[in-house]
Amino acid sequence: MALPRFLQRLLGRAGRDERHRAQEHETFKLVAEQSLDVIFRARSSDGRVTYISPSAERLFGWKPEDMMKRGGDVSANSFLHPEDQPRVGAAVARHFSSEVSDLKLEFRIMHRDGHPIWVETNARTVADPVTGKPTDLIFTMRDISAKKVREEALSLAARTDGLTGLANRRAFDEALDREWTSTLAMGGRMSLLLLDVDHFKLFNDSYGHQVGDDCLRAISGAVSSTCAPPAFAARYGGEELAIILPGCDSAEACAAAEKIRTAILNLRVPHTGNPPGGGVVSASIGVATALAGMGGSTTMPQGLLTAADHALYKAKAEGRNRVGTAMVIAGDGRGG
């Protein structure tokens, strides 16, 4: 018994659709396996990876089948860098839900030997030719590790003082805001040191600016050697240095300042015009400590800078080559 014509047409179209899908799959596989980029294919329905191109082994050290075993979910697996998983997962979810049509991400894949590989990833949706509904997501990954190294070098240079090698004023301002935000969130404390080389103008006039530059480099080295992370040291301007001490109370900050002051004296850089230092280069240091969440109304973190500057002036007024102190109480980041 012959099938009705409409069923014949329907089955014929289904056969063509099936052949079309098979042809599309073979074309995709051929292109993917010749590509130097790594190509992932994942189902739109659940994000499960169904294909990884052979170039994964060249770039990541993992065979495609080994990567599949380590986690077949496109955004939750053991080869995606843990720090990047939440961001990648959120972006993929937005793409699957059609909130964003194009997806371009930069994140890290862990190489088989343990080091991270930065990749630039572009994604596009594959739709069913009949229904038009998304069926798959194609990810194309390209190694951009060299680009990231260049970007980091440029970023570091933009935040580094060319003379001393310490952070520059721009980096200091960013760090001060960042550390105060953290201090405020935890209801904690932080301290700031402002250091000024005693009679430095006279030093430059006596020994020349080249020797003055050498002196600043030596002092910066002494500061760096006495300030372990998370302390953050920067050239604040001229012969002034600034040191941020997260989590330090006044006593701890004063001890750190005294250690720095002694280290500078121990350089024994001659400075005959500096009686406070006994004929060698010395420094005066202002110490200010801020306590968050105490109900104060001082505008921060500018108030901490002002207090440290007043403490530095106090150290100079009392004879130089010493440490001055101040305290700031702040209730929020804006003042009130």
Side-chain angles (χ1 to χ4, degrees), residues 19-333:
R19 288 194 298 273
H20 176 79
R21 290 190 185 95
Q23 186 178 34
E24 181 195 55
H25 177 75
E26 288 303 315
T27 302
F28 166 79
K29 188 175 179 181
L30 177 63
V31 172
E33 292 186 357
Q34 298 302 314
S35 175
L36 294 177
D37 295 339
V38 180
I39 298 176
F40 282 63
R41 186 166 188 156
R43 292 195 299 256
S44 293
S45 58
D46 57 9
R48 300 296 294 178
V49 175
T50 59
Y51 175 84
I52 303 176
S53 64
S55 50
E57 185 172 8
R58 176 189 61 82
L59 185 54
F60 305 133
W62 295 100
K63 292 181 179 179
E65 56 268 30
D66 293 333
M67 294 188 81
M68 297 284 278
K69 291 175 184 176
R70 290 172 63 84
D73 189 290
V74 71
S75 60
N77 51 68
S78 59
F79 50 83
L80 183 61
H81 195 289
E83 293 179 5
D84 296 336
Q85 283 195 6
R87 180 168 55 87
V88 174
V92 170
R94 289 197 303 272
H95 191 77
F96 280 155
S97 65
S98 301
E99 288 182 33
V100 291
S101 56
D102 297 316
L103 184 62
K104 186 173 183 178
L105 292 170
E106 293 182 0
F107 55 86
R108 290 159 291 181
I109 295 288
M110 300 306 298
H111 192 276
R112 185 166 190 162
D113 66 12
H115 77 275
I117 301 289
W118 274 100
V119 295
E120 179 184 83
T121 300
N122 291 278
R124 70 176 181 87
T125 301
V126 177
D128 185 287
V130 177
T131 66
K133 293 182 178 180
T135 60
D136 297 274
L137 196 61
I138 307 296
F139 292 86
T140 304
M141 297 183 181
R142 178 167 298 175
D143 183 3
I144 58 166
S145 298
K147 171 191 169 186
K148 282 294 183 180
V149 169
R150 290 193 298 271
E151 287 177 353
E152 289 175 10
L154 289 172
S155 178
L156 180 62
R159 287 167 169 75
T160 301
D161 176 62
L163 175 64
T164 64
L166 298 176
N168 61 17
R169 179 64 180 270
R170 172 186 173 184
F172 167 78
D173 289 341
E174 292 173 354
L176 187 63
D177 283 337
R178 182 173 62 249
E179 292 300 340
W180 173 248
T181 298
S182 177
T183 299
L184 190 65
M186 295 185 295
R189 61 206 176 191
M190 66 177 287
S191 293
L192 174 66
L193 314 184
L194 279 185
L195 179 155
D196 186 77
V197 182
D198 293 328
H199 298 301
F200 190 68
K201 183 180 183 304
L202 183 57
F203 182 92
N204 272 335
D205 291 343
S206 301
Y207 301 100
H209 288 276
Q210 182 60 56
V211 178
D213 288 348
D214 291 340
C215 178
L216 284 178
R217 278 190 284 266
I219 289 172
S220 298
V223 169
S224 295
S225 66
T226 56
C227 292
F232 183 93
R235 187 182 184 191
Y236 189 68
E239 68 273 19
E240 284 191 330
L241 306 183
I243 302 97
I244 301 170
L245 300 174
C248 281
D249 61 21
S250 182
E252 293 167 330
C254 285
E258 187 59 32
K259 187 176 180 181
I260 292 171
R261 188 192 67 81
T262 301
I264 292 170
L265 275 180
N266 288 340
L267 292 172
R268 309 304 296 174
V269 177
H271 187 357
T272 56
N274 184 38
V280 299
V281 168
S282 64
S284 301
I285 304 175
V287 177
T289 300
L291 306 177
M294 298 290 290
S297 59
T298 303
T299 302
M300 292 294 287
Q302 185 59 41
L304 184 61
L305 267 171
T306 300
D309 190 56
H310 288 165
L312 175 59
Y313 178 82
K314 177 183 175 183
K316 289 181 178 181
E318 292 178 351
R320 301 179 188 265
N321 187 27
R322 66 191 63 217
V323 173
T325 61
M327 181 73 71
V328 182
I329 298 176
D332 57 40

